[in-house]
Amino acid sequence: MRHNNPTGTVLYTIEQAIKEYRKIAQKNILQIVKDITIDQCLVLIILNNNAEISQNELANLVFKDNASITRMIELMVKKEYLIRTIHQEDRRKFNLEITEKGIKTIELIEPIIQLNRETALNGLSLEEITLLDKTLNKIIINCKK
Amino acid sequence: MRHNNPTGTVLYTIEQAIKEYRKIAQKNILQIVKDITIDQCLVLIILNNNAEISQNELANLVFKDNASITRMIELMVKKEYLIRTIHQEDRRKFNLEITEKGIKTIELIEPIIQLNRETALNGLSLEEITLLDKTLNKIIINCKK
DNA sequence: CAAATATAATTGATACATCAATATTAATTA
DNA sequence: TAATTAATATTGATGTATCAATTATATTTG
């Protein structure tokens, strides 16, 4: 079962696919909002749909390390996308609040992200996508145990 | 076509899958060879199968930026996996040669990599894998144009 | 042949990834 | 309640990703 790539495994194709997607996604977003990355966009959107979330939970949702999230939030606070305040009930935690600038940015980028996804998945049938998701989830489970 | 993840797109599952795979791959390799990363392993293996390759070509094969490759090679030369000398016919290029240590490392890690791939793809049928590859390639093409 | 253009690789800047160690606060247990 | 353990987040170290600008060498063109 060789594949048409230097390592001969589909795992390599997975990596290539996500890299190509990230490339166009970042490029298109940059044309609308200058100082943001796709990862920061994702954080904004997740926070928007999940208020009151902790950094830990956020990290899990976006599949990032705790350390990465800490640094991303630092940057996003500095760039005034987020406000971070100490959580009153549990002083180990923080509240993450989206600023006005953050909200405006979400409105700007959401259609772009939508478009990026449509571009990437253009011409794929529902079955193909469903099956893709199913197969990838098998791989994820295999790797987790 | 929503998926069971925070963004509701399979593109997210792709990212998750490759991240999980890289995690176990790196962990297993680290148990055998202390000072190497999966990316450096891949570079070693590609170089082993493609002598006389330029940094440019190497970058394309492993889907990395030229800048990334330059820095990886620097590190790998420092760690004595590679020797880099100026190309005689074209003085803009370099010859990349694998050291003894590099060869020994390849022999150590190749079975591990094989095992990692088998673990990740365990229980998947040939059809599933073929289809996965095919669908991913459609996405890659979509993103490239 | 000289000037312009193309190619190969490097460098700087910034962001994310991962691991291990640490600090702080909360919850559990002796 | 004091001591232990667990949970949350940070920090340091190292490696990779991407873009833009630059250097050095080759090739093409006028």
Side-chain angles (χ1 to χ4, degrees), chain A residues 102-137:
Chain A
I103 299 286
K104 290 222 174 74
T105 305
I106 291 175
E107 283 162 9
L108 281 171
I109 60 184
E110 238 162 8
I112 308 296
I113 291 180
Q114 195 52 36
L115 211 62
N116 288 338
R117 291 174 181 167
E118 280 165 19
T119 304
L121 303 180
N122 181 38
L124 302 194
S125 70
L126 277 190
E127 274 147 292
E128 267 177 304
I129 296 179
T130 307
L131 201 56
L132 174 60
D133 196 71
K134 205 175 281 179
T135 308
L136 289 171
N137 272 302

Side-chain angles (χ1 to χ4, degrees), chain A residues 12-13 61 128 133 138 142, chain B residues 12-13 61 128 133 138:
Chain A
Y12 192 76
T13 318
L61 281 179
E128 267 177 304
D133 196 71
K138 285 187 188 174
N142 279 339
Chain B
Y12 194 74
T13 318
L61 282 178
E128 266 178 305
D133 196 70
K138 284 187 188 173

